[in-house]
Amino acid sequence: MTVSLAFEHGRAKMAYVEADEVPMVSKSEIDYSILSEAVVYRLRRAQLSVVSDFNESLLAYGLRPADFSVLIVVANNTGLKQSDVAEALGIQRANFVAIIDGLEDKGLLHRRRSDSDRRVHYIEMTEEGRSVLEEISQIWKDHEDKLIDRLGGEKARDQLVGLLRRIQD
């Protein structure tokens, strides 16, 4: 006899159900139980679905989504310290140093040591960084446009962004 957890959709009721045999289901018949209505699960699945194609596009440049985020923030905010960018993007210091090292090795960013405090580094875009960012920004825009179409237009995008901001704040 097997025991499984059953979930009644939309009512958040859970109960253990006993069965004499293990039912065989196909991949398309999988019962996701509470995951079907779980916000965290749906957010993660949506994120994986949306990001994978863009990630592949970035890999052609030897970049990852975190690299793209750093390039965007640095390009649009002159005079930021390395620690300011890391904090703004929610990236831990140890991970951020590796990201900046990689971008600097690719010639996309440059670190400049503060004249008044040698512990402080400012991050600046290089010409190569600006050129690459311009190219990948167009790729991002194309991906964003496809996603907006999948959502049903800009109004739906704005609603989704508003809900996500509410969760983040």
Side-chain angles (χ1 to χ4, degrees), residues 149-164:
D149 285 344
R150 284 176 62 191
L151 288 171
E154 290 186 15
K155 184 176 179 180
R157 186 255 339 254
D158 294 346
Q159 289 174 321
L160 178 59
V161 169
L163 290 169
L164 293 171

Side-chain angles (χ1 to χ4, degrees), residues 115-130:
D115 294 334
S116 61
D117 186 346
R118 295 186 46 82
R119 297 170 296 175
V120 174
H121 290 91
Y122 294 95
I123 304 175
E124 301 168 345
M125 293 288 290
T126 64
E127 286 304 315
E128 177 68 12
R130 289 190 189 288

Side-chain angles (χ1 to χ4, degrees), residues 8 22-23 26 30 37 45 54 61 101 106 111 113-114 128 134 138:
E8 192 174 323
V22 177
S26 70
I30 293 174
E37 305 298 326
R45 291 300 301 252
F54 184 58
Y61 291 85
D101 286 346
K106 289 176 177 64
R111 277 182 259 205
R113 198 177 294 267
S114 168
E128 177 68 12
E134 190 173 315
Q138 185 57 53

